Amino acid sequence: MSLALKALKKSPWVFHVNTGACNNCDIEILDCLTPRFDVERFGVVLVGSIRHADVLLVSGPVTANVLPRLRRLYEAAPRPIKVVAFGACGCKCGIFRDGYNVVGPMDKYIPVDAYIPGCPPKPETIISGIVKVLSQL
Amino acid sequence: MVKKIPIGPFHPILEEPEFFELHVEGERVVKIDQTIGWSHRGIELLSEHKTWDQVPFLVERICGICSCSHPFAYVKAVEDLCQIEVPLRAQFIRVIAAELERLHSHLLWTGLAGHFLGYNTVFMWTWKFREPLLDVLEAVTGNRNHYAVMRPGGVRRDLPAEEIPNILKLLDRLEKENDLLTKAIVDDPVIHARTKGVGVFNKTMCRLYGALGPTARSAGYDIDARRDHPIDAYDKVSFKVILCEHGDVFDKAVVRQLENFESIKIIRQCLSLIADTKAGDICAEIREVPPGEGFGMYEAPRGEVFHYVRSNGGNMPIRHKVRAPSFNNILTNNVSVPGNTVADAGLITAAVDPCYSCTERVGVVDRRNGERRVLTEADIVRLSHERTDEIRRRLAAEAGRE
């Protein structure tokens, strides 16, 4: 294992993108950072820029407006980058599957390493998803 | 010469994507351009292809934080169309779920505002206080978010009698914790310095822009759909509509904090009144939906939600119109942000509690020399934190001199 990967495993930094989700996934992600679940114990931190990130966390069905931005984010990400599809919408567009402005799911456009299903996923599911992503490395 | 700062559309702290462009002269914002529509999913059209009973599941996914308010307004619209009476017990359960949601939404906002100010302790504490609330919601409705309580004619799930003591215990606890938070906000000199007189939006402007919810009430604009158009059990409970007068960020925080107490009061009254109703009588049957139209409105945590449905007598709505409060409230930034500094802009745009998700970066264009710089979201938060630290140091120095 390279040094970079070893370091990444200790502390994966997450950049979170909402591609048209209903906020619930997003507040559950924030919930994970707060005292009860506290994923910062594992070195998981939300960062403000994709250029600092090791994990790209995408929640929401991809809307037509957001798609070019999502592609740009993926291209701008430093490698290696792990992409996680979050929530029912991130995995399979959920209830918005038939929407005229929804072009997702996201795995049609960028390669996905892990799926965390649920509407919204419970924090326990999120933590187990993080563990799975890390064990892939 | 004015610089332009684009903010967005991705932002790791709040929710939906939104794009702002700040025009600044030096540090002062002179104009703000806003682009919305990143999250457009075509919900109204989707809803016209779902049956009357399926639509609540769709509309609660309009916004995850208002996931009781949208279905509430929708089922009221359908009941208005069918002219049916909801059983008393169902009315109380609806109000209890909706007010629990308001509590969790307001606490969530206070936490995020604390984070913006550089008070991460406030963020961690409020979200810690919020957890037991989510547990109760899970016990009562079956899910931490997306409660799926509402259904045309009543509610989907009865409130088990053994849950009532748990809710009361939670309310006692929340009342104390909310009191502590309110005092922490009202008494803190740094929060005063950072938020008082910042992002002012006055009463006349509220009327012009159609501001709703806490954004309007913080400026003294007396509007609350729960009192003005009481639906379900709201005419059976008593509560105060909280008003402030200045319309700045501080007042917006205070309005939300005080509303939490009112919500606690409403839930307590409902819990005592629900004891007289018959268990299991939670849904009036709707045989068919007649042709016609109906509307329903409800005061969501962010303001008034309005739903309109039209039927041709079939099993689906042929038109469903949704009007959410954030659309009006986001526009108030056009007035409240100019005149403030870039460091305050993030706080002010967050203060209306918009459903906006992701503001990934801010670009600055200087109108004086046409120079363009790009600020990331991290920079915005850093600017805001630096400002708080500076005020803290200044106050400490002043205290030292005295």
Side-chain angles (χ1 to χ4, degrees):
Chain A
M1 191 188 284
S2 72
L3 190 63
L5 271 183
K6 215 170 178 178
L8 194 155
K9 229 175 151 174
K10 288 275 181 226
S11 165
W13 283 14
V14 180
F15 182 72
H16 161 230
V17 184
N18 172 330
T19 54
C22 70
N23 304 346
N24 235 338
C25 289
D26 316 318
I27 60 176
E28 290 294 62
I29 290 166
L30 284 184
D31 220 47
C32 280
L33 296 174
T34 50
R36 183 183 282 183
F37 299 102
D38 198 12
V39 290
E40 284 192 18
R41 287 175 297 169
F42 311 125
V44 180
V45 184
L46 275 191
V47 291
S49 165
I50 183 67
R51 299 197 187 272
H52 302 157
D54 307 309
V55 178
L56 177 61
L57 189 61
V58 184
S59 62
V62 182
T63 63
N65 312 22
V66 145
L67 177 62
R69 301 276 178 162
L70 179 66
R71 282 208 169 113
R72 240 164 76 187
L73 280 173
Y74 181 69
E75 281 156 18
R79 300 296 191 269
I81 183 93
K82 287 279 164 192
V83 182
V84 180
F86 193 88
C89 296
C91 297
K92 278 283 167 242
C93 286
I95 201 163
F96 304 116
R97 191 181 57 235
D98 302 323
Y100 58 83
N101 204 35
V102 173
V103 294
M106 57 168 287
D107 56 7
K108 261 164 63 181
Y109 307 101
I110 56 177
V112 175
D113 296 289
Y115 296 86
I116 303 180
C119 186
K122 291 182 73 168
E124 292 88 342
T125 325
I126 301 172
I127 294 171
S128 107
I130 293 168
V131 172
K132 274 184 194 157
V133 174
L134 292 184
S135 56
Q136 274 180 8
L137 291 171
Chain B
M1 188 57 108
V2 172
K3 288 191 206 173
K4 286 187 194 158
I5 310 183
I7 309 181
F10 292 108
H11 185 299
I13 295 167
L14 290 172
E15 298 86 26
E16 282 140 358
E18 235 175 34
F19 184 78
F20 298 114
E21 194 162 57
L22 303 179
H23 296 236
V24 299
E25 277 177 358
E27 272 296 299
R28 213 134 286 273
V29 181
V30 291
K31 193 183 154 204
I32 177 168
D33 278 342
Q34 307 183 70
T35 313
I36 54 173
W38 303 95
S39 289
H40 179 73
R41 291 156 291 181
I43 288 176
E44 286 177 11
L45 190 72
L46 279 175
S47 141
E48 286 153 23
H49 295 86
K50 301 219 179 296
T51 64
W52 297 102
D53 242 13
Q54 287 171 339
V55 175
F57 296 113
L58 178 70
V59 290
E60 74 181 6
R61 281 162 181 80
I62 290 175
C63 168
I65 311 175
C66 305
S67 59
C68 224
S69 310
H70 280 288
F72 205 158
Y74 165 76
V75 295
K76 286 322 283 179
V78 177
E79 283 153 15
D80 180 39
L81 172 60
C82 304
Q83 295 295 328
I84 61 156
E85 191 64 37
V86 183
L88 205 54
R89 190 175 178 85
Q91 296 186 11
F92 288 126
I93 296 174
R94 280 180 180 181
V95 172
I96 290 168
E99 291 299 325
L100 282 172
E101 180 202 72
R102 187 186 314 279
L103 278 170
H104 112 70
S105 172
H106 282 352
L107 284 175
L108 178 144
W109 179 83
T110 309
L112 291 179
H115 173 75
F116 261 111
L117 284 171
Y119 274 63
N120 269 326
T121 322
V122 173
F123 176 42
M124 292 297 166
W125 277 35
T126 39
W127 283 61
K128 190 176 82 185
F129 298 157
R130 197 175 143 266
E131 279 300 327
L133 186 60
L134 293 180
D135 287 346
V136 163
L137 275 168
E138 191 175 7
V140 172
T141 68
N143 204 355
R144 285 162 59 90
N145 314 85
H146 287 332
Y147 319 109
V149 178
M150 307 293 174
R151 123 180 228 195
V155 291
R156 280 181 200 278
R157 222 175 155 171
D158 201 359
L159 181 70
E162 64 268 20
E163 278 304 326
I164 293 180
N166 287 347
I167 303 180
L168 286 172
K169 219 189 292 167
L170 168 88
L171 294 179
D172 291 341
R173 193 174 152 179
L174 267 182
E175 199 169 27
K176 273 193 219 109
E177 290 165 344
N178 198 50
D179 197 39
L180 183 131
L181 271 177
T182 313
K183 281 187 187 136
I185 291 171
V186 173
D187 295 341
D188 192 305
V190 180
I191 292 184
H192 275 232
R194 262 320 292 283
T195 59
K196 277 215 162 163
V198 169
V200 176
F201 194 76
N202 64 30
K203 200 170 161 181
T204 339
M205 282 295 169
C206 283
R207 204 170 268 280
L208 284 176
Y209 276 73
L212 295 162
T215 310
R217 288 197 287 275
S218 68
Y221 186 28
D222 195 359
I223 179 172
D224 190 326
R226 291 177 293 172
R227 181 204 55 199
D228 303 338
H229 313 280
I231 50 171
D232 283 354
Y234 276 108
D235 52 358
K236 299 174 190 71
V237 294
S238 66
F239 62 97
K240 268 207 318 259
V241 175
I242 306 291
L243 292 175
C244 282
E245 45 185 326
H246 301 106
D248 50 12
V249 177
F250 181 78
D251 279 1
K252 283 171 191 159
V254 170
V255 163
R256 291 199 174 92
Q257 280 301 317
L258 297 181
E259 272 183 13
N260 282 346
F261 291 116
E262 296 304 313
S263 292
I264 292 172
K265 233 161 74 185
I266 293 174
I267 300 170
R268 281 212 182 108
Q269 293 174 47
C270 285
L271 286 174
S272 68
L273 286 167
I274 205 172
D276 304 333
T277 56
K278 197 171 124 249
D281 182 22
I282 52 164
C283 196
E285 198 181 350
I286 299 181
R287 284 291 168 114
E288 61 181 42
V289 180
E293 44 186 23
F295 63 86
M297 54 179 93
Y298 176 66
E299 183 78 15
R302 284 157 192 75
E304 184 185 299
V305 172
F306 179 89
H307 280 238
Y308 164 88
V309 290
R310 193 194 299 153
S311 154
N312 60 356
N315 64 343
M316 297 174 191
I318 56 167
R319 179 77 180 96
H320 182 188
K321 164 84 186 120
V322 182
R323 184 176 176 273
S326 283
F327 185 73
N328 299 28
N329 287 343
I330 286 167
L331 290 178
T332 66
N333 292 335
N334 289 352
V335 176
S336 53
V337 175
N340 293 288
T341 60
V342 179
D344 286 335
L347 181 65
I348 298 166
T349 52
V352 300
D353 196 1
C355 288
Y356 82 137
S357 165
C358 324
T359 314
E360 144 213 43
R361 70 206 193 306
V362 172
V364 186
V365 177
D366 198 327
R367 267 200 207 163
R368 277 176 298 202
N369 52 18
E371 172 206 336
R372 201 178 169 103
R373 70 186 150 114
V374 172
L375 299 184
T376 63
E377 151 56 30
D379 289 333
I380 308 170
V381 175
R382 183 178 48 77
L383 276 172
S384 185
H385 288 190
E386 277 170 8
R387 182 109 199 265
T388 305
D389 288 342
E390 186 195 307
I391 291 172
R392 239 183 229 149
R393 275 197 299 276
R394 207 184 63 216
L395 288 174
E398 276 168 16
R401 269 202 301 278
E402 281 161 16

